[in-house]
Amino acid sequence: MKNKNRSQARHYKFHIDWILMIILLIALVLYGYGTWKTGSANDFYTSAITSMTQSFKNFWYASFDPAGYITVDKPPVALWFMTISAKIFGVSNFSVVLPSVLFGVGSVYLMYRLIKPKFGTNAGRIAAFAMTITPIVVADSRTNNMDATLIYFLLLSLWMLQKAVDKKNIFWLMGSFALIGFSFNIKMLQAFMIVPAMLLFYWIASKTNWKKKAMHTVLAIIFLVVLTLAWPLSVDMTSANNRPYEGGSEHNSVMELAFGYNGTQRLLGQTTGTGGTFKGMGNQKSKNTQNNKPKPPNMKKTNQPKGNMKMPGSNKPTGMKHGGAPGGGGGNIFNIGTAGPLRLFQSALGPQISWLLPFAIIGMIASYIVYADPRRKWYQTTEKQKQIILWTGWLVLVGGFFSVASFFHPYYTIMLAPAIAALSGIGLMGMLKALEIFNRKNIRYYFLPLAIAITAMLQAWYVSSYYSWLTILILIIGIAASLGIIFIKSKKVMKKVIIAGLITIAIAPSFWSMTPTIAKTSDAIPSAGPDLLTSNGGKQGGIGNGSVNNKLLNYLQKNQGNAKYLFATADSGTAAPYIIKTKKAVMAMGGFNGTDPAMTLSKFKQLVKSGQIKYYLDGGKSGSTNSSIVNWIKKHGKKVSAKTYGGTSNSKNKQGHLGNKQKSGALNQMMSRKSSNYQMSGGPQNSSETLYDLSNIYK
């Protein structure tokens, strides 16, 4: 008997779920393929990674530039992983994106591990697959942004929380909440969005008495607070003279950054960090936003679709992009739709995240009912119902935020992906069980056909402006499958009909998720959709995708002398590509968008007088808070003619692949986009780029 048990233990120990392996392989291909061919990703962060490889001080503070003048506007933890990768493989798009790819695949695996133990292998597989084919998950996992890293550690925290409940172990609980504090240092308060759901789950799921629960909760919160504040306080308590300026803050403080620019302003609207609210960012109420409709570059009336597409709850067309289609990708960077309970279904956000949201919601309701114990009272929840409450809490909390918030990019909605994936897997099993235990006279029998029909109709609307044939296909098969489930009595035939319906509602999100991979994008503002596959799709008009004027660079390197900085400029968008290519210090005086009050006129004069700054590159950036410095430069500095460094114009060479030449067609597209005034942080426009020589001011 003992030998038999040992044999069984060995069997389970070495068991491999090959379907899961296929799903993980699909995820790896979607997230990783072609990332070595996509330029410098988000060059704001790639510049920081370049700088962080050069010294521990830069590494610890997440310095944007090698000189340690100013930091990026996020905590350093995600960048630490990327910097380690870059230190091993060298700074390239592949190395800086590799951690996101691996964390993305890791999140898919964690979805399986979180769902399988309570709901079975098939539920775990469905959840993992749903996570894999969520378009914004693919797009985010192909960049060096922080989101894929954050999602992985949040899921790991939930896994530890479940261990704490199952094993009645306080150490797993403390570790779980410590990871939330750790995750705060990935993307600040965004990590806290799921904490109420975690606390609720622990209190209803833990089998210890309330006194122990209270004590355990206090200890868990202590660990959360300690891990949260360890890095921010270490920075804020360090003298400003001994560290970089904290980019994005008004008073050189990480805590201010966390609760201001990266905190309340995300909910109420942006007022600092980038010089006021962005046009087209949701329903902001400011002088800068006279309407909510984004104005992407080169939009022509001929590109608009016939009629105005609206979603319920929206008082105007939403999600209009280059081609005017609802839900494309590549050009939808500022449009987050109209605030309200149906915002996530609108075309601005829906095609990135909400393909399976109706299925998940209906599945959530069905599974909660199905997994109830009829012998218990309504408030006495089963173990499976408690799991459903956990994921529902995640969905409601995060979905509620995005429904009302004023300042975020569509790609932030990756935060919803785990909850939608989990409830899709759980919900499918619950709805299938409802078909078994209820007859056609019971309304609960109709959960699955209803979920397939409504999901198919929403998906058909999303694809309607791109592929009319796919719209028709989804509607016909989706509705036919739903009716088949209702009226077909043969279980064997019904099984095939259910499979056909499920495949139908997986087609469109699967294709949308493939578009970033097919287009080989790694955008600073990631998105997914057919727009990425067009000749003018996939590049985000100067955002995090700057360029280098090689002739100007040669001139600056030749004449830098003993100056500490290659040159100074107003914003990081102009500085980043030069830092990446040369690995030399470039001063972005006002940080990300030129509006951080990091430099004073008197201090700048001292740097010029001491010879640490010899040149200033004016990219024509408006909105800088350093106008007094710029005015002083223009008054006393000497303009350097473009002819001096080898040309009559300031044409620039795109530095994709960190210095490799790009095809002329792609270059022309990029230059065309850059000619638009629709910019946030990209390199300077050619027509207004001016170099000033400051070396003779004090001679």
Side-chain angles (χ1 to χ4, degrees):
M1 190 70 175
K2 290 183 178 178
N3 292 333
K4 184 178 180 180
N5 290 337
R6 289 173 183 172
S7 176
Q8 289 178 342
R10 284 195 297 269
H11 171 73
Y12 288 115
K13 183 177 181 181
F14 294 102
H15 175 71
I16 296 176
D17 187 335
W18 290 106
I19 294 178
L20 173 64
M21 293 299 104
I22 293 172
I23 293 172
L24 293 175
L25 180 61
I26 292 171
L28 182 61
V29 173
L30 286 175
Y31 304 167
Y33 178 73
T35 53
W36 52 88
K37 299 180 179 180
T38 53
S40 54
N42 185 334
D43 60 14
F44 180 53
Y45 297 133
T46 303
S47 175
I49 294 165
T50 302
S51 304
M52 291 165 70
T53 60
Q54 297 186 26
S55 73
F56 179 78
K57 182 177 180 180
N58 289 348
F59 178 85
W60 179 253
Y61 293 111
S63 176
F64 167 76
D65 59 283
Y69 163 70
I70 197 168
T71 72
V72 294
D73 57 4
K74 296 292 186 296
V77 169
L79 294 172
W80 285 347
F81 291 106
M82 298 171 195
T83 301
I84 292 170
S85 176
K87 197 70 174 176
I88 296 171
F89 300 107
V91 180
S92 67
N93 190 73
F94 171 76
S95 67
V96 302
V97 170
L98 179 60
S100 293
V101 174
L102 297 179
F103 283 130
V105 176
S107 294
V108 173
Y109 176 71
L110 283 174
M111 287 303 310
Y112 176 83
R113 289 295 303 272
L114 284 163
I115 303 303
K116 177 191 171 183
K118 307 298 182 184
F119 298 94
T121 300
N122 287 331
R125 291 168 177 169
I126 294 296
F129 183 68
M131 185 76 175
T132 300
I133 64 167
T134 300
I136 200 58
V137 173
V138 179
D140 268 330
S141 298
R142 295 178 58 84
T143 74
N144 58 337
N145 291 342
M146 288 76 182
D147 301 82
T149 306
L150 175 64
I151 292 298
Y152 174 82
F153 282 103
L154 293 182
L155 289 175
L156 186 60
S157 175
L158 254 62
W159 179 79
M160 296 178 73
L161 178 63
Q162 290 187 354
K163 286 286 185 182
V165 171
D166 293 340
K167 295 180 178 294
K168 301 179 182 179
N169 190 316
I170 180 62
F171 296 106
W172 282 109
L173 182 68
M174 292 188 294
S176 172
F177 280 80
L179 265 185
I180 295 294
F182 179 81
S183 300
F184 173 89
N185 291 291
I186 295 174
K187 212 175 177 190
M188 294 190 164
L189 290 177
Q190 189 170 324
F192 287 176
M193 296 174 77
I194 66 169
V195 170
M198 293 174 64
L199 290 171
L200 175 61
F201 172 74
Y202 180 71
W203 272 81
I204 64 174
S206 176
K207 295 179 182 179
T208 58
N209 61 60
W210 72 268
K211 291 183 179 179
K212 284 187 176 181
K213 286 181 185 178
M215 181 185 69
H216 293 174
T217 301
V218 170
L219 288 173
I221 295 298
I222 290 174
F223 270 75
L224 181 148
V225 171
V226 169
L227 267 291
T228 294
L229 298 179
W231 183 81
L233 290 183
S234 74
V235 175
D236 283 357
M237 294 175 67
T238 301
S239 171
N241 296 325
N242 297 324
R243 62 174 175 84
Y245 184 92
E246 193 60 36
S249 70
E250 292 291 296
H251 302 94
N252 198 9
S253 166
V254 177
M255 296 304 293
E256 178 199 350
L257 177 67
F259 292 96
Y261 173 61
N262 285 329
T264 57
Q265 290 182 33
R266 301 287 172 173
L267 179 64
L268 303 176
Q270 185 187 11
T271 57
T272 63
T274 56
T277 315
F278 291 141
K279 292 183 179 181
M281 183 66 80
N283 29 312
Q284 309 282 1
K285 296 180 180 180
S286 72
K287 295 179 181 179
N288 291 333
T289 52
Q290 297 173 352
N291 59 62
N292 302 327
K293 196 172 181 179
K295 299 179 180 179
N298 302 325
M299 179 174 280
K300 298 178 182 180
K301 293 181 180 179
T302 56
N303 289 335
Q304 296 294 338
K306 296 178 181 180
N308 289 333
M309 292 194 174
K310 296 183 180 182
M311 279 294 290
S314 173
N315 57 10
K316 61 181 181 297
T318 60
M320 298 297 105
K321 296 161 299 306
H322 293 302
N332 201 16
I333 58 178
F334 295 120
N335 186 12
I336 55 175
T338 305
L342 296 177
R343 179 193 256 178
L344 291 173
F345 295 102
Q346 295 170 16
S347 58
L349 300 179
Q352 302 302 317
I353 186 63
S354 300
W355 296 91
L356 297 176
L357 183 54
F359 192 88
I361 293 174
I362 296 173
M364 169 193 71
I365 298 170
S367 55
Y368 190 85
I369 294 173
V370 167
Y371 291 125
D373 187 344
R375 297 168 298 180
R376 298 184 181 184
K377 295 181 179 180
W378 66 269
Y379 56 84
Q380 294 176 318
T381 53
T382 64
E383 188 175 10
K384 289 183 178 180
Q385 285 181 311
K386 291 167 184 174
Q387 293 287 328
I388 295 168
I389 290 172
L390 172 63
W391 293 108
T392 302
W394 183 320
L395 182 68
V396 170
L397 289 167
V398 178
F401 171 83
F402 287 126
S403 296
V404 300
S406 295
F407 170 46
F408 63 91
H409 288 296
Y411 74 90
Y412 291 9
T413 56
I414 189 178
M415 278 290 294
L416 285 163
I420 294 174
L423 292 173
S424 294
I426 295 170
L428 177 58
M429 295 302 105
M431 290 185 287
L432 289 174
K433 187 175 181 181
L435 291 177
E436 295 177 1
I437 64 177
F438 300 116
N439 57 44
R440 287 176 171 82
K441 295 180 180 180
N442 193 314
I443 193 172
R444 288 172 285 189
Y445 178 88
Y446 300 96
F447 278 123
L448 183 57
L450 181 65
I452 292 175
I454 293 178
T455 303
M457 287 187 284
L458 178 68
Q459 292 186 2
W461 183 76
Y462 286 156
V463 305
S464 61
S465 292
Y466 288 95
Y467 311 105
S468 57
W469 63 270
L470 183 56
T471 302
I472 296 171
L473 181 68
I474 292 173
L475 283 175
I476 290 177
I477 300 179
I479 294 176
S482 300
L483 294 174
I485 296 170
I486 294 173
F487 295 108
I488 293 175
K489 295 183 179 180
S490 170
K491 290 185 177 181
K492 186 178 292 186
V493 176
M494 184 187 292
K495 183 177 180 181
K496 295 179 180 179
V497 170
I498 291 172
I499 292 173
L502 295 176
I503 291 174
T504 300
I505 61 174
I507 290 174
S510 295
F511 172 68
W512 248 251
S513 70
M514 291 169 61
T515 55
T517 308
I518 296 171
K520 296 183 177 66
T521 61
S522 182
D523 292 333
I525 309 294
S527 63
D531 284 351
L532 298 179
L533 307 180
T534 63
S535 60
N536 65 339
K539 297 297 180 183
Q540 306 293 359
I543 296 180
N545 198 15
S547 51
V548 168
N549 182 330
N550 283 323
K551 293 179 179 179
L552 173 62
L553 176 58
N554 292 335
Y555 175 83
L556 290 168
Q557 289 180 313
K558 183 178 179 180
N559 294 279
Q560 181 181 2
N562 296 322
K564 182 178 182 179
Y565 296 94
L566 184 64
F567 64 89
T569 190
D571 63 278
S572 63
T574 306
Y578 289 90
I579 293 174
I580 295 168
K581 183 168 186 179
T582 67
K583 296 180 173 58
K584 292 186 176 182
V586 177
M587 175 183 285
M589 290 194 307
F592 178 64
N593 208 47
T595 57
D596 294 344
M599 179 59 64
T600 63
L601 177 57
S602 60
K603 186 176 180 180
F604 187 82
K605 288 180 178 179
Q606 292 175 3
L607 293 173
V608 173
K609 189 174 184 179
S610 63
Q612 296 184 61
I613 296 177
K614 292 178 64 176
Y615 294 97
Y616 177 80
L617 182 61
D618 184 355
K621 188 72 177 180
S622 61
S624 172
T625 57
N626 297 295
S627 57
S628 60
I629 300 176
V630 175
N631 291 336
W632 179 82
I633 290 171
K634 291 181 177 180
K635 181 177 180 180
H636 299 283
K638 178 184 177 182
K639 283 186 180 181
V640 179
S641 171
K643 295 180 180 179
T644 305
Y645 45 87
T648 56
S649 66
N650 291 336
S651 61
K652 298 175 288 186
N653 294 323
K654 180 74 175 62
Q655 293 304 314
H657 309 286
L658 306 182
N660 295 332
K661 294 182 180 180
Q662 299 292 301
K663 294 180 180 180
S664 59
L667 175 61
N668 290 335
Q669 293 166 17
M670 183 277 293
M671 295 302 293
S672 174
R673 287 189 296 272
K674 283 209 175 276
S675 66
S676 168
N677 289 326
Y678 187 69
Q679 288 189 319
M680 186 168 82
S681 67
Q685 299 174 34
N686 292 345
S687 60
S688 56
E689 178 185 81
T690 307
L691 181 67
Y692 289 88
D693 186 342
L694 312 178
S695 59
N696 293 316
I697 291 179
Y698 288 101
K699 291 184 179 179

